[in-house]
């Protein structure tokens, strides 16, 4: 697992097994008081929620996460490139 980006209260990350998936994507987690929520967003062809993996986030939170991904897509994609090149990724905190 590699933490890519930390924005607001969310952690954006990728798993090693994700390298084998055909479409680039990012997992987003939020952990508060031991209650962890996680969802998955596709990055291509457009930023879009994986409906099967939206966790317990509210629609408002999912909209916020999507907006954050769109606003920071360049950073996320560059961090993923480092990860896919099998190099160590250091999380960026914004």
């Amino acid at each position: 697992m590699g933490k890519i980006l930390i924005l607001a209260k969310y952690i954006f990350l990728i798993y090693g097994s994700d390298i084998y998936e055909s479409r680039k994507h990012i997992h987003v987690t939020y952990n508060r008081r031991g209650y962890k929520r996680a969802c998955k967003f596709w990055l291509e062809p457009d930023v879009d929620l994986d409906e099967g993996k939206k966790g317990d986030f509210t629609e408002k939170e999912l909209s916020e996460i999507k907006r954050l991904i769109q606003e920071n897509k360049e950073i996320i994609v560059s961090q993923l490139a480092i990860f896919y090149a099998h190099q160590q990724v250091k999380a960026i905190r914004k």
Side-chain angles (χ1 to χ4, degrees):
M1 174 182 70
K3 288 183 184 177
I4 304 288
L5 186 62
I6 301 168
L7 287 173
K9 61 184 180 182
Y10 306 108
I11 298 173
F12 297 76
L13 50 96
I14 189 80
Y15 296 103
S17 60
D18 290 343
I19 291 174
Y20 304 107
E21 287 203 33
S22 59
R23 290 168 60 193
K24 285 190 171 89
H25 62 278
I26 192 80
H27 296 270
V28 183
T29 64
Y30 171 67
N31 191 352
R32 182 167 181 189
R33 296 185 181 137
Y35 179 67
K36 183 177 180 180
R37 293 184 275 174
C39 64
K40 176 179 175 180
F41 274 85
W42 299 108
L43 300 174
E44 51 187 28
D46 297 312
V47 174
D48 198 24
L49 175 67
D50 180 338
E51 289 292 333
K53 296 185 179 176
K54 61 182 179 178
D56 292 331
F57 287 105
T58 66
E59 290 301 317
K60 182 178 178 180
E61 288 171 319
L62 291 169
S63 294
E64 178 184 16
I65 293 167
K66 183 175 182 175
R67 179 186 57 76
L68 288 169
I69 292 170
Q70 290 169 327
E71 290 174 358
N72 295 278
K73 188 174 179 182
E74 187 175 309
I75 293 169
I76 292 169
V77 170
S78 67
Q79 289 282 81
L80 287 176
I82 294 168
F83 184 82
Y84 289 136
H86 303 286
Q87 298 174 1
Q88 186 174 358
V89 178
K90 184 175 180 180
I92 296 171
R93 185 180 296 269
K94 282 182 85 178

